[in-house]
Amino acid sequence: MLAGFTILDLVVITVLSALGVAISGVVGTLVRLVTGPLMIPGGSVAGGIYMLFLVMAVVLTGKKSAAILVGLLQSVMVLIMPWAGNHGIATLLTYTAPGVAIFLLLLVMRHKGCCKFCCFFACMVANLTGVVLVSGVVMQLPLVPMLLGLTVGALSGGLGGLLTWSLAKQLKKLEVIK
């Protein structure tokens, strides 16, 4: 799986993974203040920001499997740092599965983070995967709050994908990436 990655790709993946974990702690806490009383998982709202890092890894490296590596690396970081998450060993699944979902979607679409369309749907499917796993498997929410979380998650994920595309466009304009 690592054979096609350059050292620069791996550095980008590592930096994006660390940024994702660091930002998720801050953003997640703020969002949960609002979503907690509504029984909506905070991750469904903040997920657009969380999943941005997985999609950005694909955009910056040009490799679909970069999303899987970011998710896997983030899950290991969260397991090592107990203050970063509270899903226990399920963290391996809840953090890695969105990367796998991105990989599969982009494989079917035959895209690799190359346009606004694929970034939008990649981030959306990643967030929906995360919402289903956390709401259904970890939190075992009733149907109505879970459906609300999925609706909000789709919107948040799509917006996160558009933000990813905008950031990538700016990085290309600054010639940070080609």
Side-chain angles (χ1 to χ4, degrees):
M1 185 173 172
L2 296 176
F5 289 96
T6 65
I7 297 294
L8 180 60
D9 290 340
L10 295 174
V11 168
V12 166
I13 287 166
T14 304
V15 168
L16 288 173
S17 299
L19 282 172
V21 170
I23 286 180
S24 71
V26 175
V27 171
T29 302
L30 295 174
V31 168
R32 280 184 200 90
L33 291 173
V34 175
T35 61
L38 300 173
M39 285 188 63
I40 301 171
S44 65
V45 176
I49 301 296
Y50 297 167
M51 302 307 167
L52 175 150
F53 296 97
L54 280 75
V55 178
M56 187 61 79
V58 173
V59 172
L60 294 179
T61 65
K63 295 169 181 75
K64 299 172 186 92
S65 56
I68 298 171
L69 288 177
V70 170
L72 186 61
L73 190 53
Q74 284 181 338
S75 70
V76 170
M77 283 188 230
V78 169
L79 283 173
I80 291 170
M81 299 179 286
W83 52 265
N86 57 0
H87 299 157
I89 199 69
T91 298
L92 287 171
L93 178 65
T94 60
Y95 275 74
T96 306
V100 173
I102 290 170
F103 175 80
L104 293 174
L105 176 75
L106 294 177
L107 192 66
V108 169
M109 290 175 63
R110 297 179 187 220
H111 280 255
K112 55 182 176 184
C114 54
C115 63
K116 191 184 296 188
F117 180 77
C118 65
C119 287
F120 178 87
F121 284 105
C123 204
M124 180 188 287
V125 77
N127 200 30
L128 288 174
T129 302
V131 171
V132 165
L133 289 172
V134 173
S135 298
V137 177
V138 176
M139 296 175 71
Q140 298 177 350
L141 288 180
L143 182 62
V144 173
M146 186 166 161
L147 291 175
L148 182 58
L150 285 169
T151 304
V152 172
L155 177 64
S156 172
L159 291 173
L162 294 177
L163 179 58
T164 304
W165 175 249
S166 295
L167 290 170
K169 205 163 98 174
Q170 291 301 318
L171 290 172
K172 287 176 185 176
K173 188 188 249 183
L174 295 170
E175 298 181 4
V176 174
I177 59 173
K178 296 180 182 179

